[in-house]
Amino acid sequence: MSVFVIRRLLQSALVVLVMSLLVFVGVNVVGDPVEMLVNPEADQAEIARVVQSFGLDRPLYEQYGLFLLNAFKGNLGLSFVYGEPALKLIVQRIPATLELALAALLMAIMLGIPLGVFAGLRPDSKVSKTIMAGSILGFSLPTFWVGIMMIMVFAVMLGWLPSTGRGATVNVLGIDVSFLTWDGLAHLLMPALNLALFKISLVIRLSRAGTRETVLQDYIKFARAKGISNARVVLVHLLKNILIPVVTVIGLEFGGLIAFSVVTETVFAWPGMGKLIIDSIHSLDRPVVVAYLMIIVLVFVIINLVVDILYSILDPRVRLRDVKA
Amino acid sequence: MATVQQQLADFPVAEAGGRAQTPFQRFRADFFASRLATVSLYVLVAIILIAVFAPVISPTDPYNLATVTVLDARLPPGVKGSDGITFWLGSDGAGRDLLSAIFYGLRISLGVGVISGLVAVCIGCVVGLTAAYFGGRTDSVIMRIVDIQLSFPAILVALVLLAILGKGVDKIIIALVVAQWAYYARTVRASALVERNKEYVEAAKCLALGHRRILFRHILPNCLPPLIVVATLQTAHAISLEATLSFLGVGLPITEPSLGLLIANGFEYMLSEKYWISFFPGVALLVAIVSINLVGDQLRDILNPRLQR
């Protein structure tokens, strides 16, 4: 086990290092680092100061070392637009993105599993066929377009929900959350559903396939033969057994939700990390872009590491194969 | 000798009644057995024809500044414009006919998706075949890289690249290729691993044929079925990804108005209930993606050896 974890840790560190090298090369070799790191309106003295602090007058390998050192200290430059440390700006936006992603995850589970189980129990009914057709659409529809259409229908035409923004937030343990106020919930509903759409389709397919396999098992037949009520068979015997693959996949897909929140946040003007990076790319706020790239890589490497380790605990074969290879 | 003759007799050569089918005929019959797949294929062919012949069949040239006037801006669908042309799908913020803009947009969207797909297939094939054929360290190093890349969502990979590279047709193609090659490499490697141990490869090796010839002339053709399926579905994915990135403003420049950019342009008029500027390009995008996906699904059902009847 420890061999496996150490190997994975080393590998993760290597990935972060390679990505930092890529970002460094992208910024300092392909582009002009002075132009990237200094505000276009800065004077000579400011340029000289930045050149000094980032060591841009030194050889490349020393520059890379300095870049890494600065990154470790959390110094990734000041935002041109906000005049604050880039890292701080991004960290401030993380709770909004996480809230959106978690809400979407919850929706995928709450809607996807019941619909999928129903479609699996009655594969030939009209409703099931509609659910499955809907899940095909959910896979094919481009997220951003669905978001625009949701705003069109529910905010502009019907006027039921607010179109953009986060609404009122409540401060809980130093973190602003919006799901505790009605206004915040109303603002959260559409973006979360939009982000969840793809995952709902995925969960529907998984639970349908799982249900169709499981209902044929002997223990389900036996439970029915014992005279247990249909509700109990479905909710206890069946659900417990289809949950394992569903939960695994949902866990794996959490990273995908954070990646795709870039799209949803832009459509719904949700003030999270994703909106910040897109705004920063547009306003050429390069320190924030560089900081975001480093942080998102770090976040994903950590997610992957955790998933890998959890997987190896659940399934020892993964760990054994890896050590052998 | 007898067995050889027997085998020859069993071989489905065109018999007198012409009942025997070539593999292609069987494939075609299987494909058209599903009505949904047949319709999707026709729709897909229509879309490709529209994309190829967009300049010929469009009612107007939406990017000719001499004929486009701002007077026609934001007309709802079906209204006649200032020079007598009917805007069947309405006009956009600059007075362009939306139908023509969609035809031109399909051209760009499909073009970018297909070109990036082809390049990614080539890279994926070379990498996947190399990994499977040589095995050992080569294989484990390549597959580790593939695994690491696949642990990041495609949209994130493309976004990271475009944030560094900037906008442009060439840049989005690079980003899409980098985001996709690993899927192809994994697919090709998986089927090449099976093919590698078959007798015909051994025979080719005994003939002292070069590695390259064995890989590309002998193994690769036998790996094609799963590759075709993945390529079809992945192209739909690439088109959707390009539209998303262009919508976010990090993909194509305004000079290359793909469907994603058309939708983005309509977004600002959304709040004043001018739905058509975003709606119709989105429908075009959706029809293209769904038809490619359905054709791909049918191909997967036919080409999957486990489902072979």
Side-chain angles (χ1 to χ4, degrees):
Chain A
M1 186 67 205
S2 51
V3 177
F4 176 81
V5 173
I6 289 167
R7 282 179 82 117
R8 279 297 136 108
L9 267 173
L10 286 177
Q11 186 188 317
S12 305
L14 191 70
V15 171
V16 174
L17 215 61
V18 169
M19 275 309 297
S20 71
L21 191 64
L22 276 180
V23 172
F24 174 79
V25 168
V27 172
N28 291 38
V29 182
V30 179
D32 177 5
V34 175
E35 186 193 317
M36 295 239 176
L37 292 167
V38 185
N39 193 328
E41 286 147 33
D43 54 8
Q44 278 303 317
E46 169 68 10
I47 291 178
R49 196 191 64 76
V50 173
V51 166
Q52 176 68 41
S53 75
F54 283 89
L56 297 180
D57 45 357
R58 312 231 199 117
L60 267 182
Y61 62 88
E62 265 184 46
Q63 281 187 38
Y64 177 61
L66 261 176
F67 172 76
L68 274 188
L69 204 68
N70 275 322
F72 265 117
K73 286 191 214 148
N75 175 16
L76 290 161
L78 287 182
S79 158
F80 301 160
V81 178
Y82 301 93
E84 286 182 61
L87 202 62
K88 187 180 151 209
L89 275 174
I90 295 168
V91 172
Q92 277 172 350
R93 303 287 193 104
I94 290 178
T97 298
L98 275 184
E99 184 178 26
L100 186 62
L102 285 173
L105 197 67
L106 204 66
M107 274 190 184
I109 297 170
M110 304 293 268
L111 290 173
I113 294 179
L115 289 174
V117 170
F118 181 87
L121 287 173
R122 300 212 176 82
D124 296 319
S125 86
K126 278 246 154 55
V127 182
S128 303
K129 286 196 172 140
T130 317
I131 293 174
M132 292 324 286
S135 86
I136 292 179
L137 269 185
F139 273 121
S140 303
L141 285 165
T143 310
F144 70 100
W145 185 69
V146 179
I148 294 176
M149 289 302 125
M150 283 166 105
I151 293 181
M152 185 73 219
V153 174
F154 296 110
V156 179
M157 287 178 169
L158 298 171
W160 289 352
L161 292 167
S163 61
T164 51
R166 199 178 172 194
T169 54
V170 177
N171 195 299
V172 179
L173 303 174
I175 297 167
D176 285 332
V177 292
S178 48
F179 72 92
L180 290 175
T181 63
W182 280 114
D183 184 48
L185 267 185
H187 279 86
L188 182 60
L189 184 62
M190 266 206 297
L193 184 63
N194 181 230
L195 187 57
L197 210 60
F198 188 87
K199 304 298 171 206
I200 295 174
S201 308
L202 188 71
V203 174
I204 287 179
R205 302 213 136 199
L206 282 171
S207 1
R208 176 178 177 267
T211 306
R212 293 201 65 180
E213 260 173 41
T214 312
V215 283
L216 302 174
Q217 299 289 322
D218 286 342
Y219 58 81
I220 296 286
K221 282 183 197 153
F222 182 65
R224 288 195 195 284
K226 273 206 300 190
I228 294 174
S229 73
N230 190 34
R232 197 178 153 78
V233 172
V234 172
L235 291 179
V236 177
H237 295 81
L238 186 119
L239 206 56
K240 257 190 194 169
N241 285 285
I242 65 162
L243 273 183
I244 303 160
V246 173
V247 167
T248 319
V249 172
I250 288 175
L252 289 175
E253 293 285 330
F254 186 65
L257 278 176
I258 290 180
F260 259 95
S261 69
V262 174
V263 181
T264 302
E265 284 174 12
T266 306
V267 173
F268 291 93
W270 184 265
M273 290 196 284
K275 173 131 178 51
L276 180 68
I277 169 80
I278 296 297
D279 288 347
S280 303
I281 291 176
H282 287 307
S283 58
L284 303 179
D285 196 352
R286 295 179 210 89
V288 178
V289 174
V290 170
Y292 175 85
L293 296 185
M294 293 311 298
I295 288 192
I296 200 79
V297 168
L298 202 63
V299 166
F300 266 84
V301 165
I302 292 172
I303 291 179
N304 290 335
L305 184 70
V306 171
V307 167
D308 271 356
I309 291 175
L310 284 182
Y311 233 89
S312 76
I313 294 171
L314 292 175
D315 188 350
R317 280 173 302 178
V318 176
R319 173 167 89 221
L320 293 175
R321 197 179 57 212
D322 200 78
V323 171
K324 215 172 62 188
Chain B
M1 274 315 275
T3 53
V4 172
Q5 260 158 14
Q6 202 146 21
Q7 276 175 3
L8 279 175
D10 287 342
F11 198 73
V13 213
E15 286 164 25
R19 254 191 68 251
Q21 291 174 312
T22 63
F24 178 70
Q25 281 169 331
R26 196 164 54 227
F27 172 78
R28 202 174 53 184
D30 279 349
F31 189 91
F32 289 113
S34 154
R35 207 191 307 159
L36 189 61
T38 313
V39 173
S40 322
L41 185 66
Y42 288 144
V43 172
L44 185 57
V45 170
I47 288 175
I48 292 172
L49 288 178
I50 288 175
V52 172
F53 295 106
V56 186
I57 55 171
S58 294
T60 62
D61 179 355
Y63 303 107
N64 182 352
L65 293 176
T67 55
V68 172
T69 78
V70 193
L71 291 175
D72 294 340
R74 302 184 295 280
L75 291 177
V79 168
K80 257 193 193 336
S82 52
D83 43 0
I85 302 164
T86 310
F87 293 113
W88 292 112
L89 298 182
S91 64
D92 72 359
R96 290 183 281 246
D97 174 31
L98 210 51
L99 183 67
S100 313
I102 289 174
F103 285 177
Y104 277 79
L106 268 176
R107 198 176 158 85
I108 297 164
S109 288
L110 288 189
V112 170
V114 169
I115 292 172
S116 66
L118 286 178
V119 178
V121 164
C122 293
I123 297 176
C125 275
V126 173
V127 174
L129 283 175
T130 314
Y133 187 72
F134 294 105
R137 264 207 114 66
T138 324
D139 186 33
S140 54
V141 169
I142 290 179
M143 288 327 284
R144 192 36 67 86
I145 295 173
V146 167
D147 280 345
I148 289 173
Q149 199 194 316
L150 289 180
S151 67
F152 294 92
I155 187 165
L156 194 71
V157 175
L159 190 69
V160 167
L161 275 170
L162 289 170
I164 295 174
L165 294 174
K167 280 190 198 180
V169 181
D170 48 343
K171 282 153 190 155
I172 191 146
I173 290 178
I174 293 174
L176 289 177
V177 168
V178 174
Q180 289 185 87
W181 71 274
Y183 292 94
Y184 294 116
R186 198 173 57 173
T187 311
V188 172
R189 173 183 173 267
S191 39
L193 271 183
V194 178
E195 296 298 325
R196 184 183 68 165
N197 297 323
K198 290 201 174 157
E199 282 166 357
Y200 69 91
V201 176
E202 210 175 307
K205 277 182 185 163
C206 290
L207 288 172
L209 298 179
H211 287 318
R212 203 185 302 165
R213 182 164 168 154
I214 297 178
L215 277 175
F216 292 101
R217 297 285 294 277
H218 295 259
I219 297 182
L220 183 59
N222 287 294
C223 297
L224 281 181
L227 186 63
I228 291 170
V229 174
V230 172
T232 318
L233 297 173
Q234 202 60 45
T235 304
H237 196 72
I239 292 172
S240 173
L241 195 57
E242 178 271 313
T244 305
L245 293 165
S246 297
F247 170 78
L248 293 176
V250 294
L252 290 168
I254 327 172
T255 47
E256 302 292 335
S258 73
L259 292 175
L261 277 175
L262 291 181
I263 297 171
N265 289 340
F267 190 34
E268 54 183 302
Y269 302 110
M270 201 85 240
L271 296 177
S272 47
E273 295 211 20
K274 300 196 169 40
Y275 68 92
W276 57 90
I277 310 177
S278 276
F279 180 70
F280 290 119
V283 171
L285 183 65
L286 179 65
V287 170
I289 294 173
V290 170
S291 60
I292 298 176
N293 275 340
L294 289 174
V295 168
D297 274 347
Q298 179 73 356
L299 285 177
R300 176 167 57 199
D301 288 351
I302 301 174
L303 295 175
N304 188 346
R306 267 181 291 172
L307 298 175
Q308 206 91 98
R309 280 141 290 177

